[in-house]
Amino acid sequence: MENVAHGGMHVSGGIHHEVELSAWPFVTAVGSFLLPISFMLAFSWGMSHLGLLVAGIALVVVLVGLFGWLNQVHAKKGETSISKIAIIIFICSEVALFGGLFAGYLYTLLPAGVWPPANTPAGVPPIGLAVVMTVFLLTSSATIHNAESQLEKGSAGGTSAWLMLTSVLGLAFVLCMAYEWHHLISDGFTVSTNSYGMFFFLITGLHGSHVIVGLIMQLFVLLMVKQGKMSKNRHVFATVTGLYWHFVDVVWLLVVSLIYVIPYVKLGQ
Amino acid sequence: MNEPKGFKSWIFTTDHKKIGVMYLVTAMIFFVVGLLLATVMRIENMDMSRQVIIGPQLYNVAFTIHGAAMVLFWMIPILLGFFANYLVPLMIGAHDVAFPRLNALSYWLYVGSGLIAVLALVMPGRLDTGWWAYPPYSIKTTANIAFYVFAVHLLGASSIAGAVNFITTIVTLRAPGMTWGRLNLTVWGIFGAFIIQLVGVPVLAAGVTLLLFDKYLGTSFYDAFKGGSPILYEHLFWFYAHPAVYVVALPVFGIVSDIISTFSQKKVYGYTSMAAAIMVITVLGFETWVHHLYVASTENWSRVLFMWATILIGVPTGIKTFNWLATLHKGSIDLKTPMLHALGFISLFTIGGVTGIANGSVGFDIHVHDTHWVVAHFHYVLAISMSMLCIGGIYYWFPKVTGKMYNESLGKFAFWLTLIGAMIAFLPQFHLGIEGIPRRYWKVPIRYAGEMRIAAIFSFIAILGFLLTIFNILKSAISGPKAPANPWNSKSLEWQIPSPPPFYNFEEIPVITEGPYEYGKPEGDVKKGH
């Protein structure tokens, strides 16, 4: 990697800037381009083995790109305030994504009259498990908050302890979800069962993937804390991870209300 | 100054100016693709009694890729890719955007998406769904809808990354003294457009993803027989795709203001109302999408509500138009090529805008819905007027970007070709629309053949004008005479540095003491580096 150190760097309003060459955005984009190509190889052009191979390559390329990128970013001084603003702006975009799907769900639910549709198996939605999952996730919001306070106090040990607890709770949530999906599908409740089924898996799946992304971010923060790369005055990525995690929790409350509670109380019956 | 050179310095660049130039080149390639597809369709329109060059099936493919190429790969990228990248850091007094690497990623994702769009044109399973890809047709057709979905995904990721990047940049990286009231209106327009991208794109991405699920995973989100609804797709699609018009329009409004102010050597009339109008349209733009669904069994209360919101958009838009005219009033007007394009834009846009008000009213829309009227309307209001303005903007900043001057007489000649061609090319289609002739059919009834032939001939003239402009830009970029730093005598910040700008834009971050349109003041008052 060729880094071009620059003579013309200036600090203005606490903002530090440097221009350089970086291969990682290009690498990440190449991987992102190969992912859809792999899908089309497998599903549109009937070459499923090649598709699988390309998908594997694409994933590796994306991960290499992102990892190299993060490494390069971390080699520099980040600005907490800018990254914090950026992640809040990004979360607005995520709100729109979930908002659009929730709106689509309500658009399908409201004219249906009976919700969930009559052919939904008994015991769906599994509300008991949802309560447990809610407890896990809400607790984890508190623990990640504690991790951040410890980081601001400068205690690496406290930070990693609270962070690990957060990750364990998050992981427990994902495992519950995996168990729930497995259980539901073997009971014959799938995306093709009815309109409730498709939205159930769509929205819980989307949320679950956000939880997994949050967990990967936590893992990265944890590694940096362990290596002493994060300190009181340098914890951009921890702040970003915290905000993202809180967002994922808030969305879960909406998921529970709309996807679990409304069908549980059997609207319209 | 240690500027990297060579092939790698482009592929791996994170410099906003280089990324901007790459966007410019790529977007112009798609513009040419779109123009060629338009040419093919118009050749087909020359004779309504027989197949001229392509059959109905390829005609469907042609208008699908024409629409997608023009909106998604030319207009939005030229504005939010080229202009935003090149100008925002220069106009706000920054060395670069907030996240230069993310900026590079945005560009390369756009290229990836563009490649998929090209595949959709040349591979088996050519996309014939129209640029909106409505179900159930888009799911049942043999066309490969995956092309569409993934092109939207990659472009969407590119747009969201761009939105996060540029909103953060404008909020945090303004030079000392660059208050919100001193931003160029171009920056305001880009800011509003990125807000729309940020909130709108995810909804479109969700909508098209469900198309893919319906086709490949056995869901039935859009299948009315299985508890879904195809209308849901139309809502999700237009929730973004209508505001997408403002994604194009808002930066265009800003650029028009900048060009008119410079070539009238006069302060923009009503700066605050101009900036406010941009933000009002940003918000109001999200309350109008249902006017695309007036005939999709929409409830009456909803039709009326969205009709009012749609027509209300005419108010801030009208404010802008009157302010441009007021800026011209008693200005010292210099009809250079960029200025001609700005004035041409205003005239075409006004025709489109006025017909838009008519189109927004439920009663009239039901009559002309999905007819040639609509085609005429949006080509005046969006397609040709705003493409023309993008070209005007490229001419305007050409000396800054390349350090060279374009050919003024060829520029003016090409402009008049485009304006005359565009003015007449779509007029007959208003008439066809009122007569109730549906659009997107490869042939219209023979009694309208004469009108369609006139439309075709004038569209060739307009297209020739655009192609001459592109030739002018390419040739001047290679062999144009050297340009001074500020050939237009503009007061805006980007013109106060050398052309082309140095690698680092500003030796030192400037301290801003006044707005970009302060004409008629003594020279010494121009903002300077401290």
Side-chain angles (χ1 to χ4, degrees):
Chain A
M1 195 49 40
E2 187 183 348
N3 289 335
V4 181
H6 214 278
M9 279 192 313
H10 287 280
V11 178
S12 159
I15 289 148
H16 212 104
H17 253 291
E18 34 204 300
V19 176
E20 62 182 26
L21 296 182
S22 173
W24 305 120
F26 181 74
V27 171
T28 312
V30 168
S32 313
F33 173 72
L34 288 177
L35 275 175
I37 296 297
S38 71
F39 181 96
M40 288 190 281
L41 280 170
F43 289 95
S44 313
W45 304 324
M47 292 179 273
S48 39
H49 286 79
L50 188 61
L52 207 61
L53 179 70
V54 174
I57 294 171
L59 269 178
V60 171
V61 174
V62 168
L63 286 177
V64 166
L66 288 178
F67 189 77
W69 188 329
L70 279 172
N71 235 7
Q72 199 178 38
V73 170
H74 196 73
K76 309 268 174 315
K77 284 201 177 80
E79 287 297 330
T80 314
S81 59
I82 293 186
S83 302
K84 202 168 164 179
I85 289 170
I87 190 73
I88 290 169
I89 293 168
F90 177 68
I91 286 172
C92 292
S93 185
E94 294 270 36
V95 168
L97 175 64
F98 279 98
L101 290 176
F102 286 144
Y105 172 70
L106 291 174
Y107 185 89
T108 310
L109 177 158
L110 292 174
V114 177
W115 198 262
N119 62 342
T120 309
V124 177
I127 193 90
L129 195 56
V131 171
V132 175
M133 288 160 84
T134 310
V135 171
F136 284 160
L137 221 47
L138 286 185
T139 317
S140 77
S141 230
T143 54
I144 203 164
H145 179 77
N146 283 353
E148 279 181 87
S149 326
Q150 291 292 325
L151 191 59
E152 267 154 33
K153 280 183 199 152
S155 149
T159 310
S160 34
W162 283 112
L163 213 52
M164 272 195 274
L165 188 56
T166 310
S167 301
V168 166
L169 287 165
L171 200 63
F173 177 91
V174 173
L175 291 175
C176 284
M177 195 182 125
Y179 170 80
E180 176 195 51
W181 274 35
H182 177 74
H183 182 76
L184 287 173
I185 291 169
S186 51
D187 280 2
F189 183 66
T190 67
V191 287
S192 321
T193 304
N194 54 34
S195 43
Y196 175 53
M198 65 201 187
F199 273 106
F200 179 91
F201 287 100
L202 173 72
I203 290 178
T204 57
L206 183 70
H207 177 265
S209 67
H210 278 72
V211 174
I212 290 168
V213 170
L215 281 173
I216 293 171
M217 288 163 79
Q218 288 171 14
L219 195 68
F220 197 77
V221 176
L222 200 58
L223 281 175
M224 289 202 288
V225 172
K226 290 270 182 199
Q227 292 174 7
K229 284 182 182 170
M230 253 189 204
S231 64
K232 211 168 162 175
N233 304 316
R234 253 183 103 187
H235 55 268
V236 189
F237 202 68
T239 312
V240 165
T241 306
L243 282 168
Y244 185 79
W245 194 251
H246 291 313
F247 161 74
V248 169
D249 286 359
V250 171
V251 171
W252 175 249
L253 293 180
L254 283 168
V255 175
V256 168
S257 323
L258 293 169
I259 305 290
Y260 290 86
V261 174
I262 288 183
Y264 180 71
V265 298
K266 297 216 188 301
L267 202 75
Q269 279 177 355
Chain B
M1 291 268 158
N2 200 0
E3 185 173 350
K5 297 251 186 274
F7 182 66
K8 248 169 80 178
S9 77
W10 289 94
I11 304 282
F12 296 156
T13 189
T14 58
D15 174 34
H16 73 99
K17 296 188 291 299
K18 281 193 166 168
I19 293 172
V21 170
M22 294 197 294
Y23 265 112
L24 173 65
V25 172
T26 319
M28 292 226 300
I29 291 171
F30 281 104
F31 186 39
V32 173
V33 170
L35 287 175
L36 293 178
L37 288 167
T39 313
V40 167
M41 286 186 285
R42 288 304 197 176
I43 291 173
E44 198 54 56
N45 288 346
M46 285 291 283
D47 191 338
M48 289 302 160
S49 57
R50 62 183 179 96
Q51 174 173 333
V52 185
I53 43 173
I54 50 170
Q57 189 56 41
L58 279 179
Y59 192 83
N60 290 348
V61 175
F63 71 66
T64 300
I65 305 292
H66 167 77
M70 288 303 204
V71 178
L72 300 176
F73 298 106
W74 151 247
M75 301 190 80
I76 294 178
I78 193 75
L79 289 159
L80 296 190
F82 167 61
F83 289 116
N85 261 294
Y86 210 92
L87 297 175
V88 166
L90 297 183
M91 284 179 166
I92 67 174
H95 288 314
D96 206 315
V97 294
F99 304 102
R101 292 177 199 81
L102 195 62
N103 201 18
L105 178 70
S106 280
Y107 172 73
W108 289 110
L109 288 175
Y110 158 60
V111 172
S113 173
L115 287 177
I116 292 179
V118 171
L119 290 182
L121 179 64
V122 298
M123 294 274 297
R126 289 185 183 90
L127 211 57
D128 64 349
T129 57
W131 81 289
W132 54 28
Y134 277 1
Y137 180 72
S138 58
I139 294 168
K140 293 186 172 154
T141 170
T142 51
N144 189 355
I145 196 66
F147 285 135
Y148 182 80
V149 175
F150 290 128
V152 169
H153 278 173
L154 290 182
L155 199 60
S158 161
S159 300
I160 292 168
V164 171
N165 206 347
F166 277 88
I167 294 172
T168 310
T169 303
I170 295 170
V171 170
T172 60
L173 293 190
R174 281 169 292 122
M178 181 57 86
T179 57
W180 288 94
R182 286 177 182 159
L183 288 177
N184 286 71
L185 286 166
T186 299
V187 177
W188 272 108
I190 289 167
F191 185 68
F194 272 121
I195 291 176
I196 295 174
Q197 292 286 72
L198 185 77
V199 181
V201 166
V203 178
L204 173 70
V208 300
T209 307
L210 303 191
L211 278 182
L212 199 69
F213 288 173
D214 272 11
K215 178 136 182 173
Y216 293 102
L217 286 188
T219 58
S220 46
F221 290 102
Y222 301 136
D223 188 343
F225 293 107
K226 294 180 186 161
S229 164
I231 310 289
L232 172 61
Y233 178 81
E234 298 186 20
H235 281 292
L236 294 175
F237 179 83
W238 287 112
F239 181 80
Y240 168 69
H242 187 77
V245 171
Y246 305 114
V247 169
V248 174
L250 296 180
V252 161
F253 292 164
I255 294 170
V256 180
S257 310
D258 271 35
I259 293 179
I260 287 186
S261 170
T262 298
F263 290 98
S264 308
Q265 290 288 299
K266 219 178 131 222
K267 193 173 178 170
V268 169
Y269 184 86
Y271 174 90
T272 311
S273 66
M274 291 296 242
I278 285 174
M279 295 321 286
V280 168
I281 295 174
T282 302
V283 176
L284 211 53
F286 278 111
E287 332 299 333
T288 63
W289 83 91
V290 174
H291 68 222
H292 294 270
L293 287 84
Y294 282 157
V295 296
S297 63
T298 307
E299 306 277 356
N300 267 332
W301 63 263
S302 162
R303 285 168 160 181
V304 171
L305 199 68
F306 281 92
M307 173 173 79
W308 281 110
T310 302
I311 293 174
L312 209 55
I313 294 256
V315 175
T317 315
I319 288 175
K320 303 195 80 69
T321 312
F322 287 121
N323 282 352
W324 291 324
L325 299 183
T327 308
L328 290 167
H329 181 62
K330 291 191 176 169
S332 122
I333 295 173
D334 188 0
L335 289 178
K336 288 276 188 332
T337 308
M339 182 63 157
L340 285 177
H341 282 81
L343 299 178
F345 161 77
I346 294 176
S347 48
L348 288 168
F349 178 72
T350 305
I351 297 175
V354 171
T355 54
I357 299 286
N359 226 9
S361 356
V362 177
F364 185 74
D365 179 84
I366 288 172
H367 179 64
V368 297
H369 200 95
D370 243 335
T371 66
H372 280 266
W373 169 282
V374 182
V375 178
H377 158 67
F378 70 68
H379 277 86
Y380 276 105
V381 82
L382 175 77
I384 297 206
S385 65
M386 295 196 184
S387 289
M388 174 177 278
L389 195 274
C390 292
I391 296 292
I394 293 171
Y395 275 127
Y396 178 56
W397 282 290
F398 185 84
K400 180 54 60 189
V401 175
T402 59
K404 292 173 180 168
M405 285 305 283
Y406 58 85
N407 185 325
E408 189 73 53
S409 25
L410 184 56
K412 285 182 179 167
F413 178 67
F415 164 78
W416 285 109
L417 281 186
T418 309
L419 185 73
I420 293 167
M423 269 293 176
I424 299 175
F426 290 95
L427 274 183
Q429 287 181 283
F430 281 125
H431 178 234
L432 262 74
I434 289 174
E435 296 277 298
I437 308 300
R439 66 175 170 142
R440 290 184 167 179
Y441 284 35
W442 77 306
K443 299 289 169 191
V444 299
I446 203 85
R447 66 179 178 282
Y448 302 109
E451 283 174 73
M452 285 307 278
R453 194 172 297 140
I454 292 171
I457 290 167
F458 278 89
S459 74
F460 298 144
I461 296 175
I463 290 167
L464 183 67
F466 276 134
L467 292 177
L468 276 180
T469 280
I470 291 167
F471 170 76
N472 191 1
I473 289 167
L474 287 178
K475 185 162 182 299
S476 308
I478 296 164
S479 62
K482 202 171 165 354
N486 187 1
W488 316 130
N489 248 333
S490 170
K491 299 258 172 169
S492 182
L493 185 57
E494 80 276 18
W495 293 106
Q496 313 310 321
I497 53 173
S499 300
F503 182 48
Y504 237 79
N505 300 348
F506 304 95
E507 279 296 317
E508 286 183 57
I509 290 288
V511 173
I512 311 300
T513 54
E514 59 179 15
Y517 309 117
E518 300 297 331
Y519 294 97
K521 287 193 176 178
E523 270 306 308
D525 274 8
V526 186
K527 63 208 133 208
K528 287 199 191 90
H530 57 121

